[in-house]
Amino acid sequence: MAIKKKRKKPHLLSHTRPPIASQRPSLSSQATRSLIRKHHNLQKQLHSAVSNGDAIAAEGIQAQLAASGGLQKYQEASIQGQSAERGGDTSKMLMEWMDELLSPTYKHDAMVSKNVKILEVGALKVDNACSRSGIFDVTRIDLRSQHPEIRTQDFMAMPTPSQSALEKDGFDIVSLSLVVNYIGDAVGRGEMLKRVASFLRFPKPLYQNDGTRELIFPALFLVLPAPCVTNSRYLDEDRLEAIMKSLGYVKSRGKISRKLVYYLWRRESVRAWREEDMLFKKQEVRSGSQRNNFTIVLQ
């Protein structure tokens, strides 16, 4: 009688960490877009398999992820395809808004003191616009760093500073640029947005370019693929704004391009989100057979 080979159940932490590829050949723009789409689709399938407790299917999808190059290949494709797939350096938009909001005197003082701190989650490069500006003290993290100035760290497992240590260890801005959409499930996306507040410093009024004093920090810089908001069956701008309002944010700036949506959310309430706050479940806001199913759930 043939002996059945016992399949090993994948470890939980490996579900979102595909194996690293060993080679780094350059990719054409078409191949870059194809690889990124395939990686995202496989991640969604993997999450579904894990949620359903289907270890065999999860193992098979892990094998497909490994065969396509894993997370490292995805990171390389994201770097090479930024102009086509990721809309270029997304932090350029953040710096445009900082130029609008911050006075020249404040920017000069920030460059000298290095007191304005930003946390870049999912950082791929160390020479983007916010890094070159000289305004920010930049902390960069990613699941698997490809540069010595990017720390290997899962944001969802990153230790949160205590309230007494926020001024020293917290940040004025947290950047989630094309990160939330990488999370495979709607609840996980909501958990990521909720977690941001734990790293933000307390509000401080600053002088703007027009001489008025207004709250600019703390803030969340959020970038998503445009279809997540403009063509989703379950999420539009109004619903996203309601979600962020329930988390204590107001929209300071926003822009929709053909490929990406950019937002700067200013946090006004220092109170953490609580279970008795408004829940946001999966709810249809648009009909149509050509819509995607992207959404964010708070529960």
Side-chain angles (χ1 to χ4, degrees):
M1 178 183 291
I3 299 175
K4 286 187 178 180
K5 185 177 179 181
K6 191 174 183 180
R7 292 183 180 272
K8 187 177 181 181
K9 186 175 181 179
H11 294 291
L12 185 60
L13 288 178
S14 70
H15 292 159
T16 56
R17 292 167 174 78
I20 291 180
S22 58
Q23 298 181 344
R24 299 184 179 185
S26 61
L27 297 170
S28 68
S29 59
Q30 183 177 356
T32 292
R33 290 191 294 270
S34 177
L35 191 150
I36 289 174
R37 283 194 298 269
K38 181 178 180 180
H39 186 90
H40 278 288
N41 287 334
L42 287 173
Q43 285 288 348
K44 291 177 184 177
Q45 294 172 31
L46 179 59
H47 177 266
S48 178
V50 172
S51 298
N52 294 329
D54 192 339
I56 295 177
E59 186 177 297
I61 297 167
Q62 284 277 26
Q64 291 182 64
L65 282 164
S68 64
L71 181 59
Q72 180 171 316
K73 199 71 173 180
Y74 170 80
Q75 290 173 323
E76 292 170 10
S78 295
I79 293 171
Q80 293 179 24
Q82 279 188 5
S83 61
E85 186 69 24
R86 292 170 61 98
D89 177 5
T90 58
S91 74
K92 288 180 180 178
M93 180 56 61
L94 175 62
M95 294 315 305
E96 284 186 26
W97 290 336
M98 290 297 101
D99 287 340
E100 294 174 7
L101 292 168
L102 300 178
S103 68
T105 300
Y106 183 86
K107 284 189 285 186
H108 175 268
D109 292 345
M111 293 174 73
V112 172
S113 66
K114 298 294 182 184
N115 192 41
V116 182
K117 298 175 65 179
I118 183 171
L119 173 64
E120 280 196 290
V121 181
L124 295 174
K125 304 179 74 174
V126 300
D127 60 350
N128 58 5
C130 70
S131 297
R132 296 194 306 270
S133 71
I135 296 175
F136 299 114
D137 176 3
V138 185
T139 297
R140 308 174 186 88
I141 64 171
D142 193 34
L143 287 175
R144 281 198 175 99
S145 169
Q146 297 196 79
H147 192 281
E149 293 179 30
I150 301 174
R151 192 169 86 223
T152 297
Q153 174 70 64
D154 183 345
F155 176 67
M156 300 304 290
M158 186 172 174
T160 57
S162 65
Q163 290 290 300
S164 61
L166 264 179
E167 187 61 30
K168 175 178 177 291
D169 299 327
F171 300 90
D172 298 288
I173 302 178
V174 172
S175 171
L176 297 179
S177 178
L178 297 168
V179 173
V180 173
N181 56 291
Y182 187 85
I183 304 297
D185 67 297
V187 174
R189 296 169 196 142
E191 291 300 314
M192 175 172 276
L193 290 180
K194 285 193 285 186
R195 186 170 172 78
V196 168
S198 301
F199 293 91
L200 291 175
R201 286 170 158 177
F202 298 112
K204 288 178 290 188
L206 302 174
Y207 282 104
Q208 292 186 291
N209 268 332
D210 61 5
T212 60
R213 281 172 65 86
E214 185 175 331
L215 288 174
I216 299 173
F217 306 129
L220 164 62
F221 180 56
L222 177 66
V223 184
L224 296 167
C228 292
V229 176
T230 61
N231 194 43
S232 170
R233 186 174 287 105
Y234 303 109
L235 187 70
D236 58 12
E237 280 213 298
D238 288 343
R239 188 162 180 82
L240 178 60
E241 191 160 353
I243 289 171
M244 297 306 295
K245 184 178 180 180
S246 78
L247 294 173
Y249 296 89
V250 295
K251 186 166 71 173
S252 173
R253 292 289 189 276
K255 179 181 177 179
I256 298 178
S257 70
R258 186 169 64 90
K259 293 181 178 179
L260 300 175
V261 291
Y262 307 80
Y263 299 102
L264 185 65
W265 302 97
R266 183 177 71 249
R267 191 160 192 262
E268 291 196 328
S269 172
V270 297
R271 180 181 62 79
W273 186 88
R274 299 175 301 189
E275 288 186 8
E276 55 266 32
D277 290 328
M278 185 182 297
L279 302 178
F280 287 85
K281 299 181 179 180
K282 190 173 182 178
Q283 177 181 319
E284 186 174 287
V285 295
R286 293 188 187 98
S287 59
S289 60
Q290 300 302 311
R291 306 294 186 188
N292 66 68
N293 293 323
F294 183 87
T295 190
I296 297 171
V297 167
L298 296 184
Q299 65 178 31

